[in-house]
């Protein structure tokens, strides 16, 4: 609600690229308020303006977030595809819960300008679609350099690959894929059984699977104080959101700093404070007091754990092209987020009938239940989207998981039904 009627003179580059390619932009979907960077006790998919978004595979399903509505709208066929944003899991997790394909590109492959930010280091924008090919074709359209986003200047090729053209066959012979099972914790046996099935399918497609790939930093990462670990992102947010607010061309509530947002939100009944707190914002204000030396030390540790002692180290030590893991294994997504590396999710399976129903921390939504989908995550080096798309397409075609179960509620009205009732004006 804070930014209703606020805006910039220019639209986001990603929107402009889609329009220029002929896409019809139908509208905006509901998302977790402030991209899940406001509250510690809210729920995925809730915002004061759009209220509660519900996942499509069981009643009161948690849609995950923060790109909650993008996932649900795509799953239900309300659009061919959608765009999501991710700082840490905000494309991959809602894509999983909506049983669709999510592409979280390398930071810098797609311009982020004029999109509400969290972190200059981690923010990225990517497609969410029902098939790998649809997502790949949209990625080709939205990727590329722009003067509006300096990170896009790091793209190592002058011509954006035709990612959709990679979706031709299921032969991925010669591709080496690692499985970091040591870092997969708190995953149900039913998920691991489907994960093993997925590994077998990739082997059938010609991939060479390397089991038990190690991350050198797992213990160090687990022992690192959570508040300190999160303070890097908090400091990024304070700087980024102040800059965004001060750059608004239309700013009806006259917000210029995070402090302004906190003061306003805590007074507005529709924001449901304190039932839905602003603790992450207070954390960002506290992180702003850290010295540059403290932040640099924490950021260097974060990048080393995510790259040299994490994903990159595992890839290079084992001469791998990619890593795979079930999306329910959280830490690998965070490593990819901190490193700025690409991730693609593809439907892997559904929780079986004997699965215990588990609610979210707030108690208003269901996180796990029979029939709720889960996904395979594929991760690689920076700008390795081509090989990840080949793996994702082969896996999708060989398993066809998405077609095995329908959402509990499927729309029956088509665009043609609506257009048929509209009066037709004769143009002279």
């Amino acid at each position: 609600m804070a930014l209703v009627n606020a805006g910039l003179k220019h639209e986001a580059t990603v929107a402009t690229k889609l329009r220029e390619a002929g896409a019809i932009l139908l509208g905006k979907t509901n998302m977790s308020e402030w991209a899940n960077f406001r509250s510690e006790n809210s729920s995925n998919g809730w915002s004061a303006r759009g209220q509660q978004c519900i996942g499509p595979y069981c009643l009161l399903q948690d849609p995950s977030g923060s790109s909650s509505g993008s996932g649900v709208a795509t799953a239900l066929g309300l659009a061919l595809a959608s765009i999501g944003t991710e700082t840490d899991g905000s494309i991959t997790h809602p894509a999983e819960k909506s049983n669709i394909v999510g592409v979280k590109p390398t930071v810098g492959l797609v311009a982020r300008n004029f999109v509400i930010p969290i972190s200059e280091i981690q923010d990225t924008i990517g497609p969410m679609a029902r098939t790998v090919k649809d997502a790949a074709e949209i990625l080709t359209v939205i990727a590329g350099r722009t003067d509006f986003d300096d990170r896009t200047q790091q793209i190592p090729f002058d011509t954006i690959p035709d990612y959709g053209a990679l979706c031709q066959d299921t032969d991925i012979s010669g591709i080496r894929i690692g499985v970091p099972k040591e870092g997969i914790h708190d995953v149900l046996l039913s998920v691991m059984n489907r994960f093993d099935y997925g590994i077998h399918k990739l082997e059938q497609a010609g991939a060479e699977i390397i089991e038990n790939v190690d991350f050198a930093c797992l213990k160090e990462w687990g022992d690192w104080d959570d508040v300190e670990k999160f303070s890097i992102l908090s400091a990024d947010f304070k700087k980024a959101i102040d800059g965004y607010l001060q750059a608004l061309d239309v700013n009806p509530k006259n917000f210029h700093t995070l402090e302004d947002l906190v003061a306003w939100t805590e007074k507005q009944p529709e924001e449901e404070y304190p039932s839905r707190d602003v603790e992450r914002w207070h954390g960002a204000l506290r992180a702003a007091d850290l010295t540059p030396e403290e932040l640099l030390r924490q950021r260097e540790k974060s990048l080393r754990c995510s790259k040299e002692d994490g994903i990159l180290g595992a890839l290079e030590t084992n001469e791998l092209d990619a890593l795979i893991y079930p999306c329910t294994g959280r830490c690998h997504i965070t490593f990819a987020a901190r490193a700025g590396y690409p991730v693609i999710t593809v439907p892997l399976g559904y929780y079986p009938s004997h699965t215990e129903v588990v609610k979210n921390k707030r108690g208003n939504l269901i996180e796990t239940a029979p029939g709720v989908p889960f996904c395979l995550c594929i991760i690689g080096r920076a700008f390795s989207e081509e090989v990840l798309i080949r793996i994702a397409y082969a896996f999708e075609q060989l398993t066809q998981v998405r077609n095995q179960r329908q959402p509990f509620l499927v729309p029956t009205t088509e665009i043609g039904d609506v257009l048929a009732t509209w009066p037709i004006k004769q143009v002279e």
Side-chain angles (χ1 to χ4, degrees):
M1 299 296 289
L3 294 183
V4 172
N5 296 324
L8 296 152
K9 292 179 181 177
H10 302 283
E11 70 176 358
T13 293
V14 67
T16 300
K17 282 177 170 284
L18 287 166
R19 292 185 201 279
E20 290 176 348
I24 299 171
L25 305 187
L26 298 175
K28 298 179 180 180
T29 59
N30 197 27
M31 65 182 297
S32 308
E33 186 154 284
W34 291 100
N36 262 348
F37 209 87
R38 171 194 144 179
S39 303
E40 293 287 355
N41 63 347
S42 189
S43 50
N44 288 317
W46 180 88
S47 69
R49 191 176 189 186
Q51 296 300 299
Q52 184 63 63
C53 175
I54 301 295
Y57 279 85
C58 77
L59 289 170
L60 296 180
Q61 182 198 340
D62 187 330
S64 196
S66 62
S67 301
S68 315
S70 294
V72 174
T74 300
L76 297 179
L78 301 180
L80 170 71
S82 58
I83 297 297
T85 64
E86 176 157 332
T87 307
D88 185 349
S90 287
I91 291 173
T92 51
H93 286 305
E96 175 184 39
K97 295 303 182 182
S98 284
N99 201 29
I100 61 172
V101 175
V103 178
K104 179 249 178 186
T106 303
V107 174
L109 183 62
V110 179
R112 295 91 42 90
N113 56 291
F114 309 137
V115 175
I116 298 173
I118 291 178
S119 168
E120 164 69 20
I121 306 299
Q122 294 182 211
D123 289 351
T124 189
I125 299 171
M128 303 170 73
R130 292 186 293 278
T131 69
V132 173
K133 188 170 185 178
D134 285 348
E137 289 179 341
I138 292 170
L139 181 61
T140 301
V141 170
I142 63 176
R145 299 185 185 120
T146 174
D147 292 337
F148 291 116
D149 186 345
D150 290 342
R151 286 298 292 267
T152 63
Q153 303 307 317
Q154 297 178 9
I155 296 174
F157 32 78
D158 293 328
T159 301
I160 297 300
D162 184 348
Y163 294 114
L166 300 169
C167 302
Q168 298 293 334
D169 58 58
T170 60
D171 183 3
I172 51 174
S173 299
I175 292 179
R176 290 171 56 85
I177 301 174
V179 182
K181 282 193 174 179
E182 181 188 4
I184 301 173
H185 303 295
D186 302 321
V187 177
L188 295 180
L189 179 61
S190 56
V191 176
M192 289 307 299
N193 287 340
R194 285 295 298 183
F195 182 56
D196 290 338
Y197 163 80
I199 291 173
H200 174 66
K201 284 295 184 180
L202 289 171
E203 286 180 316
Q204 285 186 332
E208 184 178 354
I209 304 296
I210 292 80
E211 298 266 10
N212 301 316
V213 172
D214 293 330
F215 281 19
C217 69
L218 280 180
K219 186 179 186 306
E220 181 182 7
W221 184 266
D223 292 342
W224 193 5
D225 177 71
D226 286 341
V227 174
E228 185 174 291
K229 194 187 300 181
F230 199 70
S231 64
I232 308 163
L233 202 56
S234 296
D236 285 350
F237 177 70
K238 167 62 175 163
K239 178 181 178 181
I241 199 63
D242 284 1
Y244 180 84
L245 293 172
Q246 291 159 20
L248 288 172
D249 296 304
V250 182
N251 192 350
K253 294 185 178 67
N254 201 32
F255 293 144
H256 296 286
T257 66
L258 178 57
E259 288 88 344
D260 295 337
L261 290 177
V262 171
W264 184 87
T265 301
E266 289 182 346
K267 295 177 182 177
Q268 302 304 309
E270 61 266 34
E271 295 289 350
E272 298 187 17
Y273 177 86
S275 173
R276 301 179 191 268
D277 63 36
V278 291
E279 183 52 36
R280 291 189 177 178
W281 286 356
H282 284 299
L285 294 175
R286 291 191 292 270
D289 294 331
L290 294 172
T291 66
E293 293 76 19
E294 287 175 311
L295 280 174
L296 178 61
R297 175 180 58 81
Q298 293 173 17
R299 193 178 301 281
E300 287 177 343
K301 181 177 179 178
S302 175
L303 289 173
R304 174 179 55 78
C305 285
S306 302
K307 291 183 175 182
E308 290 84 1
D309 291 343
I311 293 169
L312 186 61
L315 290 169
E316 293 188 343
T317 299
N318 298 279
E319 299 180 334
L320 302 173
D321 297 295
L323 299 169
I324 58 169
Y325 52 92
C327 283
T328 50
R330 173 73 189 176
C331 77
H332 301 97
I333 290 178
T334 294
F335 285 157
R338 295 291 178 104
Y341 290 164
V343 181
I344 298 181
T345 65
V346 189
L348 174 61
Y350 308 86
Y351 288 106
S353 59
H354 62 268
T355 302
E356 178 184 0
V357 174
V358 177
K359 290 189 174 182
N360 63 349
K361 289 191 297 184
R362 191 174 177 85
N364 65 325
L365 297 175
I366 294 171
E367 286 186 346
T368 306
V372 171
F374 50 84
C375 281
L376 179 77
C377 277
I378 310 165
I379 181 172
R381 295 172 177 80
F383 302 106
S384 65
E385 280 80 0
E386 288 175 277
V387 69
L388 302 191
I389 286 170
R390 287 184 59 201
I391 296 169
Y393 181 76
F395 183 82
E396 173 194 59
Q397 294 302 304
L398 291 171
T399 59
Q400 294 293 318
V401 171
R402 176 171 164 73
N403 297 329
Q404 295 170 12
R405 187 182 292 267
Q406 290 292 313
F408 76 89
L409 182 64
V410 178
T412 57
T413 302
E414 299 290 344
I415 292 178
D417 299 327
V418 177
L419 293 178
T421 65
W422 285 9
I424 299 175
K425 287 188 176 182
Q426 296 293 331
V427 179
E428 296 181 357

